Amino acid sequence: IKKESLCRTLEKRLNENYMLAEGIHIIDFEQLNNENTGNEKMITEQQKEVLKMKENVSKLVQLITHKKEKCSHLSKSNQKLKKDLKNLESNLKNRRRVILDLSKQCAKSESTRPPSNQLPIQNLQMINDFQKTKKSIQLMLKEKDELENQYLKLSRLVKNN
């Protein structure tokens, strides 16, 4: 009987240990399941971040490619402009040389010509008439400017009223 009661108590303990082990196993499973879902959330968030980074990298690659093409185009344009500038500078140099030669020729011809103290126009009446006409034209231009200013002022007043 003692052995049977000992056997029963051992069986009870064994059953309790199985139940305890099963409970611990369930608890471990639940804990692992919770950790797994947490890790899955972190993985999905990191995948979203990676996707955003890939998009940013793609945009940056496109931008860099565009800037590189633009730089290439500007470089070609710059070379063309440099070539045009060289041509213009050579033309300018040639024209300056021609002007210098002409001014030297002019200076030579003036130095060889006898000095003339008289005006090309020798009729004093014509000179006086020319000066009078010139003064009257200047006066008329001044009067015209004054009338234009007056007209502008009056047109502004009309618009404002």
Side-chain angles (χ1 to χ4, degrees):
I1 294 178
K2 283 183 183 179
K3 287 183 181 181
E4 281 182 16
S5 73
L6 181 64
C7 188
R8 279 187 213 146
T9 57
L10 288 174
E11 281 179 2
K12 281 183 183 178
R13 279 188 188 169
L14 189 61
N15 284 338
E16 287 175 3
N17 282 341
Y18 280 138
M19 291 184 111
L20 184 62
E22 233 178 79
I24 290 175
H25 183 69
I26 289 173
I27 291 173
D28 286 342
F29 178 75
E30 297 256 343
Q31 185 178 0
L32 289 174
N33 196 12
N34 287 340
E35 287 178 8
N36 191 23
T37 55
N39 288 338
E40 285 176 356
K41 287 180 183 178
M42 285 178 32
I43 288 172
T44 55
E45 288 174 6
Q46 288 177 353
Q47 286 175 341
K48 287 179 184 177
E49 288 178 17
V50 167
L51 186 63
K52 286 179 185 177
M53 287 181 184
K54 283 183 180 179
E55 288 175 358
N56 286 342
V57 166
S58 170
K59 288 178 184 177
L60 287 174
V61 166
Q62 288 175 352
L63 181 69
I64 289 171
T65 304
H66 173 71
K67 293 296 180 184
K68 187 176 178 182
E69 289 173 356
K70 186 175 181 180
C71 184
S72 173
H73 173 72
L74 289 176
S75 175
K76 289 177 184 177
S77 175
N78 193 17
Q79 289 175 353
K80 183 181 179 274
L81 289 174
K82 282 182 180 180
K83 188 176 180 181
D84 292 346
L85 179 63
K86 280 185 180 181
N87 290 337
L88 288 173
E89 285 177 345
S90 68
N91 286 341
L92 179 65
K93 189 175 181 181
N94 290 336
R95 288 181 182 188
R96 283 182 178 165
R97 194 174 331 130
V98 168
I99 289 173
L100 183 64
D101 291 344
L102 288 175
S103 66
K104 285 180 182 178
Q105 287 176 0
C106 224
K108 283 181 184 178
S109 69
E110 283 181 9
S111 65
T112 59
R113 188 181 342 161
S116 68
N117 293 334
Q118 296 179 348
L119 293 173
I121 302 174
Q122 295 187 4
N123 190 345
L124 290 178
Q125 190 176 10
M126 286 177 71
I127 294 173
N128 289 336
D129 185 46
F130 174 75
Q131 289 175 348
K132 286 179 185 177
T133 307
K134 185 177 175 182
K135 285 181 184 178
S136 68
I137 289 173
Q138 288 174 348
L139 288 173
M140 286 181 188
L141 287 173
K142 284 182 185 178
E143 186 178 343
K144 181 192 83 109
D145 289 340
E146 289 173 5
L147 289 172
E148 282 180 351
N149 287 335
Q150 191 177 16
Y151 172 76
L152 287 175
K153 287 178 185 177
L154 289 173
S155 63
R156 284 185 200 139
L157 281 173
V158 169
K159 281 184 182 178
N160 290 339
N161 291 332

